[in-house]
Each structure stands twice: as C-alpha cells, then as structure tokens.
Amino acid sequence: MTTFAAIADKVRAGARIDEAEALVLFAHPDLLALGELAQTVNERKNGRRVFFNVNRHINHTNICVNRCRFCAFYRTADQPGAYLMTLDEVRAKAEEALTQGATEIHVVGGLHPELPFEFYLELLKTIRSVSPTLHVKAFTAVEIAYLAKLAGAPIPETLERLKEAGLGSLPGGGAEIFAPAVRDQLCPEKISGAAWLSIMEQVHQAGLKSNATMLYGHLESVADRVDHMRQLRELQDRTGGFQVFIPLAFQPEHSELKVGSGTSGVDDLRTLAVARIYLDNFANVKAYWVMLGEKIAQVALSFGVNDLDGTVVEERIGHDAGADSPQTMSRDAIVSLIRKAGRVPVERDTLYRELKATRGNREGISTRPASPARQGTAC
Ligand code: V47
C-alpha cells in the first residue's frame, strides 16, 4: 500500500495523485502533515495571496418542487414561511449592494412551480439595470435544467437567452454528492450527478465559467467524496471551465435528514486539504465561511485554501439549517481575518481577476488573469 511519505514525494514533484492515493490522504492520522502538503500545493499556485470578494446573495424564492431531504431552506407554496420576491424587491437589494461596494450578485432560488421562463430573464435584466458593473452569478445547474424545460428549449439555447439577459457565470450548487446510491437518498427528485456534469459541460462550452461544490458530512463515505472529486477533475480536464472548488459542510438542523450533529473541524480541514492536493487542475479552493464558521475558515488558509468567498450579506440556505456564522462579514472583517492568518488579502471579481482598487477607490479593475508569479494587490 502506498504510504503518505511516497504520496507526499509525488505531490512535491508536481505529479497527479490517483483516487487510491486520495483515500490514503483522507485516512492519514497526521492532520498537520496533510495540511502542510496541501499548503505547499496552494502556495505553488497562489503564493500567500487569499482571494475574497464583495458580494450579495439574493435567494429570490424558497418555494421548490424538489424537496431535497437535506435542505431546510425550501418550502412548498402553501407552507408557512414560503416567499417569492418581487422584481422591485430584487432591484432594491441589488441597489443596496451596489452602494456597499458589491461587484457580484449571487442568485440562487427554489424550483418554483408556477413562474414562467420570462421571469428569470426579467430577474437578470433587473439586476443588470442597476449597474453594468454588477456581475450576475446565477442559477445552479439544477436550475438551468429546470429553466430549459420552462423555456421548451435545449440547454445551449436556454443559456444563450440567459446570457443575453445578463447571466455572467454560474455558482456551483446542486452538485451535492454524485454517487447515485447516496444521491437517491438525499435528493431523489433532483437531476442526477451525470446530468449536473453534462449541464456544466454545456455551460463551459457556451463560454461561461462556473464553480463546483460538494455537500459532505451526511450519508456519504470518504470514497464517495473522492469519486465526486474525480468526476469534477475529469470534466475540468476537458473544459477548464471550473473556477473554484467549494466543499459545503452539511448543516443538520431543521431538515428531514437526521444524520449526526454536523461536521468536525478536523473533517473540514482534511476535506479541504485533500481537495487542494487531488484537484490539481483547479486554480482555487474556497472555504465558505458561512458553513464552516469564521474560525475554521481562517485556519483553512493554512490547509490549502486560497479563497474565502465574500461579504454575502443575506444568507438563507445555511442559516435556515442552523449555521451559526453571522449573516454577513464586512469587507474590513474579511481583510483582517486574512491578515491575522499571515496571508495577503486580495479582492477579486467573480471571474477571479484581482481588483487593483484599494479601499474607497474601485476604479481600475485589472483584466489580467491572476497568476502566482504576480504579487497580489494587498488590501
Ligand atoms: O446546492 C443546502 C447546499 C448549496 C444545505 O458557487 C446545504 O460561489 C449545507 O452552492 N447544509 C447552495 N449545505 C449554496 C452554494 C454556494 C454557496 C456559496 C458560494 C457558491 C459559489 C455556491 O447549498 C446547495 C446545497 O448543496 N445546501 N442545504 C445544508 N443544510
């Protein structure tokens, strides 16, 4: 059996590890040695720079036909707490975000049983009308599949129409865990893992970038996590369209799925570190502080992570499931969190271009792709 030391030599030499080796890393008892290896890989790619952005989430509706068993956010239309925002409400939230310096609006919602395809076009146009500087990162692959049905059009045509209306890129949600046996228990009504991957391939072929997530800490095995990452790595080899990998720690409260009491900090750090080592074709690994909490997210900056997501402002999905992180983190708080970890905070836009601006001066966005060789614009 391959040892940790042999895998570490291979990784330090720049070679790709396979799934069996990723499993050895998961089983390795020395968390700090694993973290150090992941950090070596990260620093080779990103130096000491850590990305964050100033963004706002808008969850336009929680009414959803999919009824995933892990989800505490969704409601059926007749349940208490069900909501659908008006376009005026969406506009007001985007305007407020703009005044707070946001460069990105992140839009994800339930699969509403009654809205027509045109609603989604208007949603995008409404946000874009607030300012052309706002990048709209919207709709998971699961939503895209649903919207294509509403539009009565194939995925590529649906994407073209959404792009024309202002879609800038896609978030990585809906991936959950690809292994069919687990996925069937988690979310039997959701599109399959194969369909999620196929839609993302078409998204990338349409010239759009996307993110990729993995929901962990529920019914899945460590082998299921590695299998999930394998399929992402294979697709990334073909398209190069994924910008970042984001493991999402399962929040167990108020959902139908009754498993455990949430992930441990050790499991979070181990998962991020193995992802950083295994996903050699991903430029970025994100610690989503909303699900991890600020302290584990900060420690993750020594375990291979180079991205912390953003200010978020109004998070519903994790908080409805009991996440005890705050709803928002100010730009200053994120910068301070990164600095106190001994790293260099770099504000980015949604497409991972660093913003040259320093606080209070948002002009001069660099269009150069971020490169490890370049020094970060320290905030
Ligand atoms: O698809 C739902 C997950 C996702 C729970 O792309 C849960 O930049 C934990 O994808 N516990 C939506 N997770 C959020 C998401 C995301 C978040 C931040 C940034 C980006 C990005 C994407 O949240 C869902 C699902 O996988 N989720 N319920 C829960 N109880």
Side-chain angles (χ1 to χ4, degrees), residues 145-258:
Y146 191 68
L147 298 193
K149 274 196 198 145
L150 294 180
I155 300 289
E157 190 185 321
T158 305
L159 290 170
E160 277 315 310
R161 292 179 67 187
L162 293 169
K163 262 169 82 176
E164 275 167 29
L167 180 67
S169 64
L170 269 77
E176 320 315 356
I177 204 86
F178 295 143
V182 181
R183 198 176 182 88
D184 285 352
Q185 292 183 66
L186 286 184
C187 45
E189 292 169 74
K190 190 167 253 175
I191 58 169
S192 66
W196 188 96
L197 288 158
S198 161
I199 288 165
M200 281 306 190
E201 185 152 16
Q202 295 174 75
V203 164
H204 300 165
Q205 282 162 355
L208 290 164
K209 296 287 185 190
S210 78
N211 299 341
T213 59
M214 173 180 76
L215 184 67
Y216 70 98
H218 42 83
L219 301 171
E220 89 294 357
S221 64
V222 167
D224 292 329
R225 295 185 199 177
V226 173
D227 171 69
H228 187 96
M229 291 193 273
R230 174 187 60 77
Q231 298 192 55
L232 290 175
R233 190 170 81 172
E234 285 173 4
L235 179 53
Q236 180 75 333
D237 275 343
R238 292 202 295 281
T239 67
F242 288 124
Q243 305 198 99
V244 59
F245 178 63
I246 315 161
L248 296 172
F250 175 56
Q251 311 293 310
E253 283 180 31
H254 311 303
S255 75
E256 192 191 321
L257 193 68
K258 300 292 173 221

Side-chain angles (χ1 to χ4, degrees), residues 345-362:
V346 178
E347 186 177 345
R348 63 165 174 83
D349 69 5
T350 310
L351 300 176
Y352 286 81
R353 296 172 297 201
E354 74 182 54
L355 300 183
K356 272 190 185 161
T358 50
R359 191 193 324 239
N361 169 19
R362 299 197 169 280

Side-chain angles (χ1 to χ4, degrees), residues 23-96:
L23 286 171
V24 172
L25 295 185
F26 260 116
H28 188 59
D30 187 344
L31 179 68
L32 295 184
L34 178 65
E36 190 187 13
L37 188 62
Q39 196 57 0
T40 301
V41 173
N42 174 39
E43 289 194 10
R44 220 157 39 201
K45 286 179 186 286
N46 301 300
R48 299 185 72 76
R49 299 146 38 98
V50 173
F51 283 127
F52 70 96
N53 72 347
V54 180
N55 65 351
R56 180 181 179 126
H57 285 209
I58 299 181
N59 301 124
H60 50 280
T61 182
N62 62 353
I63 300 173
C64 188
V65 297
N66 258 357
R67 298 178 301 173
C68 298
R69 294 185 60 227
F70 58 80
C71 181
F73 168 67
Y74 87 83
R75 299 285 182 278
T76 55
D78 54 357
Q79 268 182 322
Y83 73 85
L84 168 64
M85 289 178 191
T86 64
L87 292 178
D88 283 344
E89 286 172 304
V90 169
R91 182 183 299 105
K93 286 178 191 292
E95 281 170 352
E96 186 188 52

Side-chain angles (χ1 to χ4, degrees), residues 291-350:
M291 305 294 187
L292 295 173
E294 294 145 290
K295 291 187 178 179
I296 290 291
Q298 186 181 39
V299 176
L301 302 182
S302 297
F303 283 75
V305 162
N306 73 309
D307 185 17
L308 276 186
D309 202 85
T311 47
V312 176
V313 180
E314 188 182 3
E315 203 282 333
R316 302 288 306 258
I317 297 171
H319 285 91
D320 283 358
D324 56 11
S325 56
Q327 277 280 342
T328 185
M329 244 210 279
S330 70
R331 185 182 188 282
D332 285 353
I334 297 178
V335 166
S336 159
L337 185 154
I338 296 169
R339 282 218 184 101
K340 285 180 180 164
R343 314 277 149 188
V344 179
V346 178
E347 186 177 345
R348 63 165 174 83
D349 69 5
T350 310

